[in-house]
Amino acid sequence: MRNLMEEIEKRRTFAIISHPDAGKTTLTEKLLLYGGAIHLAGSVKARKTARHSVSDWMEIEKQRGISVTSSVLQFDYDGYRINILDTPGHQDFSEDTYRTLMAADSAVMLIDAAKGIEPQTKKLFLVCHRCQLPAFTFVNKLDRYGRNPFDLMDEIEKVLNIHAYPVNWPIGIDGHYKGAYNRLKNVIELFEDDTSHGTKLLKSTTSSLDDPKIKEMFDEETYTNLCNDIELLNLAGDDFDMEKVRNGRLTPMFFGSAMTNFGVKSFLEKFLELSPAPQPHVLQNGNIIEPNNEDFSAFIFKIQANMNPAHRDRIAFMRICSGTFENGMSVYHKQSDKIIKLTQPQQFIAQERTIVEKAYPGDIIGIFDPGIFDIGDSLSDNNLKLQFEDLPVFPPEIFASVQPKNSLKRKQFEKGIKQLSQEGAIQVFEQKGTSRESYIVGVVGVLQLEVLEYRLLNEYGAELLMNKLPFSIARWIYSTNQTVIDNIKGLDNGMLVYDKKDSPVILANNEWSLNWLIERNPEVQFLKVPADLEKI
Ligand code: G4P
């Protein structure tokens, strides 16, 4: 038990959320650099021409320069075991991001100092808020001109409706900051001039604010401004309150530059100290499971096929919620009601995989999936047999009918569509009574359709014929009388299809046509997500 508690206490599992281009990849890379997991960070130029960020996996990510999949990176720092969940920044993959946040214990919100809160930052922050995740803020790109730190604080408070507590405060002139004042430790950290362009650790010296040597290093104006700023923050700002941080009402705020490494180390150290260790998880019956429960439990939040083209396998990613995972163990799989041996458990640093012998709450491991797992599945020791609460499903808003261009590739096409649907990358529907030549796919963001096309061709060798459909709304329908469903009225304003579990779904062009359908079918219930069917 003591061993389990110690392992839990030293774990930190978090996700970085940001608008694309705020510097998430760069910051992730720098955290790995400080953790010793990599020895030289790819400088921006080198990265552009020669290599890509260590968290890029799929070819399409490299081509488009965006992060599509959520990857998981693990490293150690100063006695901590850190799991970073990388989330796709592009809004078209928000479903994946949402599920990833369900597997995290806290989030780091990364903001570009020149741009402040951007649309995707806001959207993702609201998700964190709903998941009740403590959020830490890192204001990035302080090496160049940005907005005034007070302005940024104000914007966070107004736009996100959360109080902000600046932990470190930049010293100097905008774009030429010399260091930062740490308000929790009351020390100054001054950075040495650096010529490595951020590829190596940044050296710094720490001292107290009234150290005469420090005063000498600043000009009068800089020193006075700093003292005034600190006084103002202490007088008018919030007090630091850990309870409020845990409840998501206060965000500790840090300033720095992922590119030059300015403030990265002190952020990492303070973040590890303040952020929560693995938290309890809620079960479907409303009970919770504590991480220090000796019995193993985990849920699957992500499935990914063909991560490594050489292996062509499917990996199911699970977040461990309680107990100890051991290589070769067999667990109860709630959804199939079977005992399953978990094979080839792995942890990842990009394409490098290592076999996991033991893992603890907070850890994310990937296991080989022979095609039996779905996103949201629960795994646990046989004497627990528990079921975690459902992961949220986003109703699709964009629809297309797809079929293989070459009918000889039908088998590969079917396999690809099935696997990508199990990954949660697309939702698949069928029209009954038509020839099974084509499927209807539903997605949340249009980029997901591009990914579908690309992956079917590159991973399954099937070229697609894709026809966009005019629908924008899906509703799962239910009636106690099946003949009502079979004879649904008003279909000139929609289409009746069936999801992968054979539940009937209505696709409608817009709100107006949906209302038309609802009015004409008073005996039918129209539900937003399939999970609502189970609540009836
Ligand atoms: P992302 O994963 O959030 O999308 O961002 P990423 O790290 O790829 O960074 C986006 C751009 O911002 C990169 O420029 C990167 O070098 C730059 N960047 C990241 N952190 C900092 C920082 O602290 N200071 C400055 N000045 N720049 C930073 P890039 O590769 O040249 O791309 P682009 O600018 O041509 O788009």
Side-chain angles (χ1 to χ4, degrees):
M1 181 75 180
R2 196 166 152 257
N3 181 31
L4 179 58
M5 274 313 287
E6 277 170 13
E7 294 293 342
I8 294 169
E9 284 305 318
K10 70 183 213 187
R11 276 170 169 72
R12 295 292 181 271
T13 302
F14 65 96
I16 304 179
I17 56 166
S18 62
H19 195 87
D21 261 1
K24 185 156 58 78
T25 315
T26 313
L27 182 66
T28 306
E29 206 170 49
K30 293 312 173 65
L31 295 178
L32 291 176
L33 178 73
Y34 276 91
I38 53 174
H39 296 293
L40 202 65
S43 75
V44 180
K45 282 200 192 96
R47 216 177 66 212
K48 265 188 157 172
T49 50
R51 56 186 288 270
H52 288 269
S53 146
V54 282
S55 63
D56 273 357
W57 269 334
M58 294 166 63
E59 195 60 28
I60 193 164
E61 295 183 315
K62 293 181 198 162
Q63 288 196 357
R64 301 196 64 112
I66 54 167
S67 181
V68 175
T69 53
S70 309
S71 46
V72 187
L73 301 168
Q74 187 179 62
F75 66 96
D76 291 330
Y77 183 85
D78 197 22
Y80 289 97
R81 168 70 45 100
I82 298 156
N83 295 302
I84 306 185
L85 303 173
D86 183 18
T87 53
H90 198 286
Q91 60 174 3
D92 283 7
F93 303 101
S94 47
E95 210 174 354
D96 198 6
T97 304
Y98 204 124
R99 293 191 289 248
T100 302
L101 288 173
M102 298 288 286
D105 296 301
S106 63
V108 172
M109 176 169 69
L110 189 68
I111 294 174
D112 182 326
K115 295 186 177 155
I117 307 285
E118 295 177 86
Q120 190 63 2
T121 335
K122 187 175 166 190
K123 212 167 148 188
L124 290 166
F125 174 80
L126 293 177
V127 175
C128 289
H129 203 61
R130 241 177 287 155
C131 302
Q132 293 180 331
L133 281 187
F136 293 73
T137 303
F138 186 89
V139 179
N140 192 29
K141 307 197 183 183
L142 240 66
D143 54 292
R144 62 180 193 198
Y145 293 105
R147 288 176 37 195
N148 179 291
F150 281 110
D151 262 10
L152 290 164
M153 245 180 100
D154 199 46
E155 186 175 60
I156 289 178
E157 301 200 335
K158 288 214 174 93
V159 177
L160 304 182
N161 197 16
I162 185 172
H163 291 268
Y165 180 96
V167 174
N168 72 351
W169 193 253
I171 308 172
I173 309 167
D174 184 17
H176 297 280
Y177 290 116
K178 293 178 161 21
Y181 176 74
N182 186 318
R183 295 176 66 217
L184 290 178
K185 287 192 194 153
N186 290 326
V187 293
I188 281 183
E189 186 179 11
L190 284 181
F191 299 105
E192 288 181 12
D193 287 338
D194 171 61
T195 50
S196 81
H197 302 288
T199 54
K200 298 199 178 135
L201 306 189
L202 184 60
K203 289 193 183 126
S204 65
T205 43
T206 44
S207 193
S208 78
L209 185 58
D210 37 41
D211 180 344
K213 274 201 233 121
I214 287 288
K215 278 190 185 171
E216 272 170 32
M217 290 170 85
F218 295 132
D219 59 66
E220 178 94 24
E221 191 187 344
T222 306
Y223 187 80
T224 317
N225 285 348
L226 174 65
C227 294
N228 290 344
D229 286 357
I230 300 300
E231 200 182 337
L232 183 62
L233 286 171
N234 291 344
L235 278 175
D238 282 86
D239 288 336
F240 188 75
D241 181 341
M242 210 40 227
E243 193 53 31
K244 285 189 183 160
V245 175
R246 273 192 289 266
N247 298 334
R249 284 184 291 141
L250 183 78
T251 177
M253 195 174 173
F254 299 82
F255 292 86
S257 160
M259 194 172 83
T260 66
N261 299 340
F262 165 12
V264 172
K265 183 166 179 270
S266 50
F267 160 70
L268 177 61
E269 287 177 353
K270 206 71 207 164
F271 169 74
L272 292 174
E273 191 189 317
L274 300 177
S275 60
Q279 296 293 294
H281 276 82
V282 183
L283 307 179
Q284 201 164 54
N285 61 13
N287 291 343
I288 54 166
I289 181 126
E290 293 288 343
N292 63 1
N293 188 317
E294 292 277 300
D295 292 320
F296 169 83
S297 69
F299 66 88
I300 293 171
F301 67 97
K302 179 181 175 63
I303 292 178
Q304 172 125 35
N306 309 325
M307 255 171 47
N308 181 342
H311 290 283
R312 293 263 162 223
D313 50 6
R314 263 166 60 108
I315 306 286
F317 289 89
M318 61 169 108
R319 146 93 196 206
I320 300 177
C321 300
S322 68
T324 305
F325 170 88
E326 284 180 35
N327 189 3
M329 84 191 288
S330 294
V331 297
Y332 174 74
H333 177 226
K334 177 77 183 173
Q335 280 64 22
S336 65
D337 191 25
K338 285 192 180 127
I339 301 285
I340 289 172
K341 187 167 179 186
L342 302 177
T343 51
Q344 300 174 27
Q346 306 168 40
Q347 274 159 338
F348 298 85
I349 290 217
Q351 266 130 347
E352 286 165 33
R353 307 171 173 208
T354 49
I355 293 289
V356 184
E357 291 306 328
K358 274 194 173 191
Y360 298 92
D363 285 344
I364 310 294
I365 52 175
I367 45 165
F368 175 71
D369 175 16
I372 49 176
F373 296 126
D374 260 322
I375 286 170
D377 282 6
S378 303
L379 300 160
S380 58
D381 269 352
N382 202 21
N383 48 339
L384 282 181
K385 291 195 170 171
L386 53 74
Q387 159 95 56
F388 288 97
E389 66 175 347
D390 285 330
L391 293 184
V393 176
F394 281 39
E397 290 167 12
I398 296 164
F399 299 87
S401 101
V402 292
Q403 64 185 88
K405 201 167 190 178
N406 175 352
S407 53
L408 292 175
K409 296 279 182 185
R410 175 107 220 140
K411 237 170 118 185
Q412 291 91 324
F413 165 79
E414 297 265 352
K415 188 175 168 202
I417 289 282
K418 185 169 172 238
Q419 290 196 342
L420 295 179
S421 142
Q422 278 170 326
E423 277 185 31
I426 48 170
Q427 293 186 45
V428 178
F429 305 96
E430 270 181 67
Q431 243 186 322
K432 290 250 162 102
T434 55
S435 69
R436 294 193 57 206
E437 274 299 293
S438 65
Y439 287 104
I440 289 169
V441 295
V443 293
V444 181
V446 72
L447 215 48
Q448 281 174 287
L449 287 181
E450 281 186 39
V451 172
L452 167 71
E453 210 166 4
Y454 182 92
R455 290 188 62 188
L456 272 180
L457 182 63
N458 284 278
E459 293 168 23
Y460 302 91
E463 207 174 335
L464 270 193
L465 281 179
M466 186 184 294
N467 250 333
K468 284 268 190 70
L469 297 171
F471 311 116
S472 67
I473 298 175
R475 288 288 183 270
W476 275 257
I477 53 172
Y478 175 79
S479 171
T480 45
N481 184 353
Q482 181 57 34
T483 45
V484 172
I485 300 283
D486 294 339
N487 296 302
I488 196 134
K489 298 187 190 85
L491 276 185
D492 37 341
N493 272 299
M495 187 190 256
L496 176 64
V497 293
Y498 290 80
D499 74 2
K500 64 179 178 184
K501 288 188 177 161
D502 218 23
S503 304
V505 180
I506 284 285
L507 306 183
N509 287 19
N510 49 38
E511 285 293 333
W512 184 87
S513 18
L514 177 66
N515 286 335
W516 166 282
L517 280 149
I518 293 173
E519 279 167 23
R520 268 147 199 81
N521 297 282
E523 283 179 73
V524 177
Q525 292 190 52
F526 289 74
L527 309 163
K528 275 195 173 161
V529 285
D532 290 343
L533 287 170
E534 285 155 29
K535 293 180 194 148
I536 294 177

